[in-house]
Amino acid sequence: MNLLLFGPPGAGKGTQAKLLSKRKNLIHVSTGDLLRETASKTTPIAKKLKNFMEKGDLVPDQMVIEIIKNEIQNLKKLKKSGFLIDGFPRTLVQAKSLETMLENIKEALEKVILIEVDSKKLIHRLTGRRVCENCKAIFHKDSLKKSSCPHCHSPLDQRTDDQIQFIQKRLSIYEKTTKPILQFYEAKNLVQKVKGEGDVEEVYQKIINA
Ligand code: AMP
């Protein structure tokens, strides 16, 4: 099963991708995670990446494609039941490049799951999102009893790009640049819509049903 999780920032792609990959033995490829890891180093490229990411801008196509290329090439070597990509593609250039990368390893996407959530809910989710600095688990501040991670007790962080001015920019980039790619996948009859409202397990079940 080769899947793409698609949707606006805050739709729950990362959370669902973590669950799906664990329970269904899929390789999880997240450009957001890969880019954050690369940006946390002390290299010249890390500084460039941070400049784009912290302000909620898209990282230029060539940089993202370069970073995801190795992951895609390695997919075949890992003995899993399939893969799950989240956060990529975000532009038409990336979508076409992903198709070529997959053709080169004789793989293809079987479904694109579009997780839909209304924009008021997205803003509420993103402004309240907290991420454990150690285990990277994701929470909403309203569901936390303490200010530390309920799993490993490490401090929780708020992503710089989860501030309202950057959230608005990210949502607008999604509408203008990323959402139109759906037509590319609709033409291939791959898109299945899922309502991303409700709790994590409810949304998970909807994805499984889809
Ligand atoms: P995410 O964790 O998916 O919300 O991604 C966080 C940030 O990483 C985005 O706001 C972008 O700055 C950058 N990013 C992630 N994936 C891509 C991509 N496919 N193309 C360009 N920038 C990306």
Side-chain angles (χ1 to χ4, degrees):
M1 186 166 47
N2 295 337
L3 296 176
L4 188 77
L5 284 192
F6 200 94
K13 301 184 295 295
T15 304
Q16 292 298 332
K18 283 190 183 95
L19 275 186
L20 281 159
S21 57
K22 202 162 150 195
R23 294 180 186 174
K24 299 290 173 190
N25 193 35
L26 303 173
I27 304 162
H28 177 199
V29 180
S30 154
T31 42
D33 289 348
L34 285 170
L35 288 167
R36 273 185 291 278
E37 198 194 316
T38 313
S40 68
K41 311 249 162 76
T42 48
T43 56
I45 188 169
K47 210 171 160 203
K48 272 196 195 159
L49 284 178
K50 254 193 234 159
N51 273 336
F52 294 110
M53 295 170 74
E54 288 185 347
K55 292 192 218 112
D57 288 314
L58 287 185
V59 171
D61 287 335
Q62 279 324 309
M63 288 177 90
V64 187
I65 291 168
E66 203 44 53
I67 283 170
I68 199 174
K69 213 154 85 187
N70 277 341
E71 301 290 314
I72 301 284
Q73 277 164 354
N74 283 334
L75 286 177
K76 271 268 192 246
K77 294 182 200 144
L78 303 162
K79 296 261 176 290
K80 294 255 184 172
S81 315
F83 59 80
L84 177 67
I85 302 179
D86 110 66
F88 185 90
R90 271 165 145 111
T91 66
L92 193 56
V93 169
Q94 293 180 15
K96 291 184 176 164
S97 152
L98 176 63
E99 198 173 40
T100 310
M101 288 190 260
L102 291 176
E103 275 168 14
N104 288 343
I105 57 159
K106 302 203 166 32
E107 291 285 350
L109 291 174
E110 285 159 72
K111 265 218 188 316
V112 173
I113 307 278
L114 167 63
I115 308 181
E116 296 181 304
V117 177
D118 86 34
S119 60
K120 255 197 193 155
K121 272 219 171 70
L122 292 173
I123 291 173
H124 176 256
R125 280 188 188 176
L126 291 167
T127 49
R129 177 160 68 181
R130 299 293 180 268
V131 185
C132 172
E133 65 167 42
N134 174 43
C135 72
K136 307 294 173 203
I138 300 166
F139 307 94
H140 191 278
K141 69 175 174 45
D142 295 351
S143 69
L144 291 165
K145 293 196 180 83
K146 287 188 193 160
S147 59
S148 56
C149 175
H151 298 166
C152 69
H153 312 291
S154 303
L156 297 171
D157 284 339
Q158 181 174 26
R159 278 169 49 172
T160 312
D161 63 348
D162 277 346
Q163 294 173 52
I164 189 66
Q165 69 271 34
F166 302 131
I167 291 172
Q168 271 154 350
K169 193 201 273 184
R170 287 157 65 205
L171 292 176
S172 137
I173 293 174
Y174 173 77
E175 287 297 323
K176 281 198 204 119
T177 309
T178 305
K179 203 172 166 191
I181 313 174
L182 277 175
Q183 289 167 19
F184 176 81
Y185 292 120
E186 265 154 6
K188 297 174 192 291
N189 228 351
L190 290 177
V191 181
Q192 188 94 34
K193 293 181 186 173
V194 162
K195 283 256 168 274
E197 282 145 32
D199 73 27
V200 171
E201 288 297 335
E202 274 165 20
V203 179
Y204 177 80
Q205 208 44 55
K206 287 186 212 165
I207 294 176
I208 293 296
N209 296 342

